[in-house]
Amino acid sequence: MHIDAPEKDAVKQGQTSAEELNTILRLQNQVLEEIVLDTQPDSIFTSVCQFIENCVADSIASIMLLDSSNRHLSVVCAPSIPQESLALLNGLVPSPEAGSCGTAVYTGSPVYVSDIEQDDCWQNFRDVAQELGIKACWSYPIRIDSEHVAGSIAISSPKTRTPTAFHHQLLEAAANIIGIALKRLKAQQYLEHSENLLQNITKAMPGVVYQYRLTPDLKQEFIYIGPGIEQISGVTAEEATGDFRQFWKQVHPEDQPSLWASIIHTSQHKLPWSHEFRVFHRNGDLRWIRGSSLPDTSNKLDPSLWNGVLLDITPEKASIEQLRLAGIAFSSTNEGIMITDCNNKIIDVNRAYSDLSGYSREELIGKSPSLLKSPRHDKDFFQNMWAALAKEGHWQGEIWNRRKNGEVAPHWVSINAVHDPETHKLTHFVSVNADISNIKASEEKLSHLAHHDPLTNLPNRLLFGARLEHALTHRESNEKIAMLQLDLDRFKHINDSLGHKYGDQLLLQVTERLGNTLNARDTLARIGGDEFAILVEELEHAADAATIADAIVEAMEQPFQLDGKDYFTTASIGVALSPDHGDDSDTVTKNADIALNQAKDSGRNNYAFFQPELSETVEEWIRLEPELRKAVADKQFVLFYQPQMDATGEKIIGAEALIRWEHPEMGLIPPGQFLSIAEEIGLLTKMSDWVLEEACAQLARWRAAGLTNFRLSVNLASDQITKQDLPSEVQTLLYKYEIPADMLELEILETFLLEHEKEATATFQALRQQGVHLALDDFGTGYSSLRYLKQLPITKVKIDQSLVRDIPSDPDDEAIAKAVILLGHTLDLKVCAEGVETPAQRAFLEQEGCDQLQGFLFSKPIRQEQFTELLLAQERIQEVEYS
C-alpha cells in the first residue's frame, strides 16, 4: 500500500513541531493499520521507506535485517537504490567499523553520521558510499524486544547533513513500528509451527484422538476425530463429525446400553471416562475398543466438551485368556520357593529361589537353609521362629540372607509346616521368599525424602528443626548457637520471567555457593521456595555469626549464570543467637524470621541481628489488628483528597481519594501503618469498597454544589477486580449517586497486571464501555510491558514518584520520565507525574508536556472541606477571568 505524505524540506534542529509530530503519528497509525490487516512485511517495509522519503527531502530510506544466523545483514527494502547496487550491502557483518547500519546493529544504539568522509565507522566502506552516491547516513537499530536487535533502518543523503530532532524521532518511530511488525511475524510463524507440530503429533499417536460433546438435550457429537476412526470402524472422519449416528450404528447392540450409561454417569459427575466396548467394522470385523477421555476444563464457555482417545484393543483381548493361564502357571515363580524335609534338609527349590540365593538347585539340594544364614540375626531370633512354627504351624517375617557371593539381602519369608493329612505327622516345610531389597531401598528413600528437599537434597524444615532442637538441648554453657534465615532477593522476578526450569537451576547454584561458603559441620537447609536456613554451632562470640553472614552476602553478590547469561539475586539474612535471643527452637526461629524482615526493610542484600524492639513491631501489629476490625465495623475511616493539577500546575483538574484512619484515641493514622495489616487479615477489599462508595457519594455532593470541572481517582484493590463483579458494582454506584461516569477514574497498580492480566482485561473493558476512566499507577517501576497499554483500555499512566524524586539531578530518571510521556502521548494517553515537590521538577515536566502534576508542591492530601474550598476559589478566579 502506498502512503501519501507531504514532501518536507530539511527541518532545522530543535524542538519537533506539532506538524512533524503529526507526521510521525500518521506513520505509526497507518503502518499499525497495515499490521492489524496482516499486510505482508515486504509491503509494510516499502510503505515505511516511501513515507520517509516523501517526508525528508533528498533522502534514501533503507531497511537491513539480520539473517537466521544473526551474523550478516541484508537489505530487505530500499526503494530508491538500484537492484544491482544492493549486492554491495548484502552480507554486511555488524561491527564498530561497518558503516552506520552495521555499527548501529553492533552497538544497539542509533548512529548519526553527517559526513561519511570524516567518520571512522565508514573508513572501510567509503567506496561503497561513493558507489551509492551518499555522503550522510543516519541509522537506528530495530528491536524485537529489549534484548534482541533484528536490524536497522537508515536515512541516507547525497550531501553532508546533520539530523534534526524530527529526523531522530521519525527514525525511532519507524524502527519501533518495524519491530512490532517483525514481532507479529515471528508470533505468526511460531503459531503455524505449533499447529503443524500438533497435527504431526496427533497423526503419530496410537489410537484415534477426538473431541466429544454431550449437549444438554443429550445429543452426542464429535467436534473433532482423527482419520484413524475409519480404520477402526470403516466410518470416515467426515462422516463421524457430520453425523454421530454413523459411528453409533457400528457399536455392538449389546454394548450400547452400558456404553451410554457410562457416558451419562461420567458426564453428570465430571469424572475421567474409560470404557471398553465392541464395534463392528463396515467390512464385518468385530473389534474391541477402549475409549477414555477427560473433561475439557480449559474451555470455560462450553463445559460439555471432552478430549480423549479410542484404542483398538482387539489383539489385547485375544491374549487375555492365554495370559490368564500363563499367570496361573507362573504366579509362584516370581518368589523363591524352598521345600525341606522334616529334618530341615533342602529337597527342592524353584528357579526364582536359585536366582535369589545365587546357588544352583544342585548346590542346594541336601543342604541346610542355614547355608544362607547371615550375621544380622542372633540365636534368639531363630529360636523364636522355630517356636512359632511348632505352635502355630506358620511363621512369616523379615530375614537377611547371605547370597553365594557374600552379599546380604533382606527377604520377606513365609514358612508353613506341612503335615500328613492322615497321621498329622510333620513331613515338610515350605518357605516362600521374596527379595525386598527394593522395598527397603524405597523405605530409606522415602525417609530421606521426608527429611530432605527433593531439588537441592538439603535438609528440609522438619530435619532442620530437629537438628536445631538437638543443638539447643546439648549446647555448652560457654558457647553460642546461631540460626541464619536467608531469603533470596528478586528470586520471584527471575523465576516468573525465565520460568521454573531456570528458577530451579538458580536454586541449585545458590545451594552450591552456600555450601562452599560454610563449613562442613554447619547445617544448611532449604525450608521454603527461596528460603534457606543455616545452623552454626560452637560459636564463641556474636561477631563470629556476623563474619559468616558477611561472607554469605559477599558470595551472593556475584552473578549467576543461566542459559549463558549473568543474573543477579542477592540475599537478605536474619540472625538469631542462643542463648541471647532464645533457648528453644520456636523462639530462635521466630526471632530469626523477624530479623530477616528487618534486613529486607533495610534495603535487602544485607543481614540483621534480631533486636528486641523488632519484636515490639510485631506486637504492635497484633495490637492494631482488633482495633482495625473495630474500625471497619464502626466506620472510623475518612477520605483525604490530593489535587491533581494541569500541566502548568495552576489549575485543579482532578484529585486522588486517599483513605485515612481516624482512631478515637490514637488520632489520625496514615495508611502505611494499617493497609498491610488490612490486606493480611482480609479486610482490604471491604475497606476498598467503602472508599469507592464514599468517593462517589462525595462526588454527588460536589456536583450538587456546582463543582463539576474535575475528575476523581480511586485506587482499586486486587480482590475488587478478581473476586467481584466490579463493573456491575460501579454501574450501581453511578446510578445511585447520579454521577457521570466521566467524572470517575479508577487506578490499578502495574504490578497487579503481571499476575492478573487475564482477569483485568475483561473487567477493564467493561468499565471503559461504561465511560469510566482507567489509570495505570506506578508506571515505570516494575516489569513494564507495552502490551498493557496496547491491549487494555487504559486512559492514563501515572509516573511513579520514585522516578520524579531525583529530577533534574538524575539523567536516568529524566530519560525514563521523557520516554513515558512520549509513549503515553503516542498511544493517546494522558500522563500524570506523582510526587512533584520542587519548582525544578515542575518546570521539567511542564517542558516535556506532562499532562497532569500531583505532589506536595501543590498540596498534600487534605480533607474534603479544604479541597472544596480550593475548588470554590478556583471557580471564583475563573468567573473573574471570564467577566
Side-chain angles (χ1 to χ4, degrees), residues 642-647 653-656 711 713 745 747 774-780 794-804 817 820-822 824-825 829-836 845 849-855 858:
Q642 186 170 31
Q644 295 174 338
M645 315 302 290
D646 66 1
I653 59 175
E656 182 177 359
R711 183 175 294 124
S713 294
E745 182 174 75
E747 294 187 14
L774 302 169
L776 190 60
D777 200 6
D778 291 354
F779 188 78
I794 301 297
T795 55
K796 182 169 80 179
V797 294
K798 300 187 74 176
I799 305 176
D800 186 69
Q801 59 183 340
S802 65
L803 298 176
V804 176
V820 173
I821 293 170
L822 178 60
H825 290 167
L829 302 175
K830 295 293 184 183
V831 181
C832 176
E834 297 182 291
V836 181
L845 293 165
C850 188
D851 303 288
Q852 301 176 12
L853 308 176
Q854 179 179 344
F858 313 106

Side-chain angles (χ1 to χ4, degrees), residues 433-490:
N433 295 252
D435 189 337
I436 57 172
S437 299
N438 291 337
I439 296 175
K440 298 292 286 187
S442 297
E443 289 177 351
E444 292 176 3
K445 185 175 181 180
L446 287 173
S447 177
H448 183 83
L449 289 174
H451 295 88
H452 290 78
D453 170 53
L455 175 65
T456 62
N457 203 36
L458 294 176
N460 60 12
R461 186 184 297 273
L462 180 65
L463 181 55
F464 181 85
R467 292 187 180 179
L468 175 61
E469 191 70 46
H470 180 272
L472 293 171
T473 302
H474 296 83
R475 180 184 65 82
E476 298 291 339
S477 59
N478 61 342
E479 68 181 30
K480 295 180 182 294
I481 291 174
M483 176 182 172
L484 290 74
Q485 189 154 326
L486 179 150
D487 196 9
L488 300 181
D489 303 328
R490 298 181 302 280

Side-chain angles (χ1 to χ4, degrees), residues 127-142:
D127 56 338
V128 176
Q130 187 175 4
E131 176 74 21
L132 296 175
I134 61 173
K135 295 185 178 181
C137 182
W138 317 321
S139 183
Y140 203 98
I142 298 171

Side-chain angles (χ1 to χ4, degrees), residues 533-577:
I534 300 165
L535 172 62
V536 183
E537 303 180 53
E538 300 179 3
L539 294 177
E540 294 185 8
H541 307 287
D544 297 334
T547 301
I548 295 171
D550 264 327
I552 294 174
V553 170
E554 181 179 354
M556 294 297 294
E557 288 176 340
Q558 304 307 310
F560 293 88
Q561 278 232 332
L562 300 175
D563 195 25
K565 298 178 182 177
D566 287 348
Y567 290 87
F568 292 85
T569 177
T570 52
S572 297
I573 304 172
V575 184
L577 298 173

